Amino acid sequence: MNRYIELWIESLPQLLEAMVKVTLPLTLIAFVLSLLIGILATVMRTRSNVNPLNWISRFYVWVFRGTPLLVQLFLIFYGLPRLGITLDTWTAAIITLSLNTGAYVAETFRASVASIPRGQFEAARTLNFTKMQTLTKVVIPQAVRIALPPLGNDLIDLVKGTALVSTISLVDLFQSGRQVAARTYEPLAMYLEVAFLYLIIVTILSWGQRYLEKRSSRYVRSANA
Amino acid sequence: MLKLEDLTKSFEATTVLDNISLDLESGETTVILGPSGSGKSTLLRCLNLLETPQSGTLFIEGDLVEFGGKLTDEQVRTIRKHSAMVFQSFNLFPHYTALQNVALAPVLNGKMNKKDANKLASDLLDKVGLGAKKDSYPDNLSGGQQQRVAIARALAVSPDYLLFDEPTSALDPELEAEVIGVLIDLAREKRSLVVVTHNMAFAQKVADRIVFLEGGHVLYNGRPEGFFSSTNERIRRFLNIFETV
Ligand SMILES: Nc1ncnc2c1ncn2[C@@H]1O[C@H](COP(=O)(O)OP(=O)(O)O)[C@@H](O)[C@H]1O
Ligand SMILES: [Mg+2]
């Protein structure tokens, strides 16, 4: 046991460094991009009078939700060079993670907007709101509240998904733990430490999620948040 | 003044309003009666262009629209500003307080600044007896209170015609009474009201005019006395439902 504690303390700086320099920034950048992609895909899909846009959006969600993240990563990093598109590891990782999470976020947004009762739109119409006013004053504030719990899940999946970038030789939290495990021959100790660090990230994110949910649900009486 | 001529509305193959013509005077309370599915809601919704009729004309307080082609946003907004709908299910915005629900439209419609709109909203909530609930969210209000906020919200856009689609059908009797009380006040002020309701006491005592629909046709259009003493067999059958308790 003492040996484990020593190992944990000794390897912690290295793991934290990988976490702060790779896992966290990758998560953050990919999440922000996936929100933008999600909004774009949702707008393309709901403003469906332009059919090709609607179709592209559905196709995108279909492909990126329907295939494994690992396969997407390999296609983009190892496959695209065959088409003359060579990306460095960071770019490939960010693009893949953003597109993958973006597909889930798009679904989250679409479902949130769809769950706003029809009566809300009718009330906005009878009061002569413009489409833009209906969107910004009626739809988005309510959709955001509905979207927060599933968005939190999308983010948590993303954090865990970043571990796959180790396969294209980025030294993230997981890859760093793997290196120490190989050096010390202590896989149990090291992967426990790695798991614990992911757990801490996810726990902190869950607290943030719950705080936001509470804030945005002030107006709902029976919210068991 | 509100005038419908040869209005026809169908959903796919079913004709719901069949060549309806109707004249409603300003300042009158019109109650629309009829069996379920007779087209009452559809008629009301056509007045506010929540539904677009296939043909006919609608003339409302100096603005005229002919149905048939596609209406422009501008046309819709012009016609729509003459009326406002109060729904059976209230449809308040849950993320805004009572006051914000009422104050929102005048600001968004560009008619008032926020300060004036809040003052107006506050006065209107006083008027419907909810002065103490201004900062409550809809979820913390009873159904009767929510419906009174919805009435204040409709009044805030100063519509020429207030349209009510079964405003008390979702309410318990004592809550129904408080909403009907507000409607009676509005009728006394000579506002133009068009009310779809099953509240026969209201129809009998408050209405200036009864319109009876059946199968998308107007079977009666006139004074309440004539309606309630009608010998028309369809009307009698309808009224009997309410008399046999
Ligand atoms: N959006 C719609 N699509 C298809 N049919 C509809 C729609 N709205 C109403 N109807 C039909 O039109 C008829 C009249 O409906 P409605 O105006 O709601 O009647 P009422 O309010 O008198 O009960 C009904 O048969 C109903 O099924
Ligand atoms: Mg109806």
Side-chain angles (χ1 to χ4, degrees):
Chain A
M1 194 64 203
N2 268 349
R3 161 138 179 77
Y4 274 21
I5 292 170
E6 259 170 44
L7 243 169
W8 284 334
I9 292 171
E10 188 190 298
S11 58
L12 190 61
Q14 188 185 340
L15 295 191
L16 283 180
E17 188 186 343
M19 180 171 118
V20 170
K21 283 193 171 162
V22 179
T23 300
L24 291 182
L26 212 50
T27 302
L28 200 73
I29 295 169
F31 192 60
V32 170
L33 290 176
S34 72
L35 289 178
L36 297 177
I37 294 170
I39 290 169
L40 184 69
T42 310
V43 170
M44 281 165 66
R45 193 153 166 184
T46 45
R47 305 235 132 188
S48 58
N49 22 7
V50 193
N51 264 328
L53 291 182
N54 183 327
W55 190 84
I56 292 170
S57 170
R58 282 158 180 265
F59 180 78
Y60 155 68
V61 171
W62 177 62
V63 168
F64 277 85
R65 275 173 86 222
T67 53
L69 175 57
L70 187 58
V71 175
Q72 294 164 16
L73 193 62
F74 274 40
L75 266 174
I76 287 174
F77 186 69
Y78 296 113
L80 284 188
R82 284 296 167 91
L83 300 176
I85 306 168
T86 306
L87 303 167
D88 64 74
T89 48
W90 265 92
T91 313
I94 287 173
I95 289 179
T96 313
L97 290 169
S98 310
L99 285 174
N100 181 271
T101 306
Y104 288 92
V105 170
E107 268 306 284
T108 296
F109 285 163
R110 189 196 56 74
S112 306
V113 172
S115 70
I116 295 173
R118 230 171 65 115
Q120 293 291 303
F121 296 90
E122 300 210 325
R125 280 164 74 203
T126 196
L127 296 170
N128 238 337
F129 294 175
T130 63
K131 281 191 183 125
M132 194 43 105
Q133 289 169 341
T134 305
L135 191 68
T136 58
K137 303 290 177 180
V138 179
V139 177
I140 290 178
Q142 296 188 62
V144 163
R145 184 184 75 79
I146 299 165
L148 273 176
L151 265 189
N153 293 341
D154 296 341
L155 175 57
I156 286 167
D157 281 344
L158 171 61
V159 172
K160 294 182 289 187
T162 58
L164 291 177
V165 302
S166 59
T167 58
I168 59 169
S169 65
L170 267 174
V171 185
D172 70 322
L173 174 53
F174 172 68
Q175 181 65 11
S176 176
R178 210 166 137 186
Q179 287 171 354
V180 182
R183 195 178 67 221
T184 58
Y185 301 105
E186 287 291 359
L188 178 61
M190 287 325 299
Y191 290 127
L192 274 176
E193 187 178 10
V194 167
F196 179 71
L197 288 174
Y198 278 111
L199 203 52
I200 287 183
I201 301 176
V202 170
T203 304
I204 291 173
L205 289 176
S206 306
W207 287 340
Q209 176 189 357
R210 213 151 302 151
Y211 169 75
L212 286 176
E213 278 176 32
K214 257 205 186 110
R215 270 201 50 162
S216 69
S217 309
R218 275 167 309 182
Y219 59 84
V220 186
R221 182 175 39 171
S222 56
N224 38 9
Chain B
M1 172 77 183
L2 190 161
K3 201 176 167 75
L4 290 179
E5 264 169 21
D6 301 328
L7 195 85
T8 297
K9 171 69 189 171
S10 44
F11 294 104
E12 270 121 55
T14 43
T15 301
V16 176
L17 300 176
D18 193 3
N19 255 308
I20 289 204
S21 297
L22 213 54
D23 271 343
L24 304 181
E25 296 293 332
S26 299
E28 280 193 352
T29 295
T30 301
V31 168
I32 301 179
L33 299 173
S36 174
S38 57
K40 305 181 295 295
S41 297
T42 306
L43 175 61
L44 209 58
R45 293 165 60 84
C46 284
L47 301 182
N48 196 230
L49 299 188
L50 291 175
E51 304 289 355
T52 311
Q54 273 77 16
S55 64
T57 56
L58 166 60
F59 177 85
I60 183 163
E61 300 294 316
D63 283 307
L64 177 101
V65 61
E66 282 191 53
F67 301 110
K70 181 144 172 46
L71 302 179
T72 65
D73 279 0
E74 199 47 45
Q75 272 178 307
V76 171
R77 295 171 63 76
T78 305
I79 295 294
R80 195 174 274 159
K81 71 167 193 277
H82 291 297
S83 62
M85 179 83 82
V86 174
F87 303 91
Q88 178 178 341
S89 49
F90 328 134
N91 297 347
L92 292 178
F93 303 124
H95 53 302
Y96 293 129
T97 63
L99 188 87
Q100 291 169 329
N101 262 280
V102 181
L104 190 61
V107 175
L108 295 188
N109 294 346
K111 282 202 276 205
M112 286 180 200
N113 62 36
K114 211 165 177 165
K115 190 162 156 281
D116 293 344
N118 282 339
K119 172 81 177 72
L120 170 72
S122 179
D123 291 346
L124 288 172
L125 286 172
D126 286 337
K127 180 187 166 80
V128 298
L130 289 175
K133 297 285 183 186
K134 284 169 189 154
D135 297 321
S136 299
Y137 285 98
D139 206 35
N140 293 319
L141 298 174
S142 74
Q145 291 169 335
Q146 288 190 53
Q147 194 58 300
R148 286 186 283 152
V149 175
I151 294 172
R153 181 176 71 172
L155 285 168
V157 297
S158 18
D160 299 306
Y161 287 82
L162 276 164
L163 314 175
F164 296 84
D165 192 0
E166 302 199 28
T168 60
S169 293
L171 301 176
D172 293 338
E174 83 256 33
L175 301 183
E176 169 164 25
E178 66 186 48
V179 170
I180 289 291
V182 172
L183 262 73
I184 292 173
D185 288 344
L186 293 171
R188 289 223 181 94
E189 291 168 21
K190 294 287 165 218
R191 304 209 54 130
S192 313
L193 313 179
V194 185
V195 187
V196 172
T197 183
H198 296 297
N199 189 315
M200 286 301 141
F202 180 82
Q204 205 155 7
K205 295 193 186 117
V206 185
D208 299 299
R209 174 189 300 272
I210 301 281
V211 171
F212 181 77
L213 285 185
E214 195 183 81
H217 297 275
V218 176
L219 286 200
Y220 183 92
N221 175 10
R223 311 276 313 159
E225 302 83 59
F227 179 75
F228 286 98
S229 61
S230 168
T231 52
N232 179 298
E233 186 244 335
R234 309 281 265 287
I235 294 176
R236 287 262 51 100
R237 207 189 314 147
F238 176 78
L239 286 173
N240 280 340
I241 300 168
F242 295 91
E243 277 157 19
T244 54
V245 181

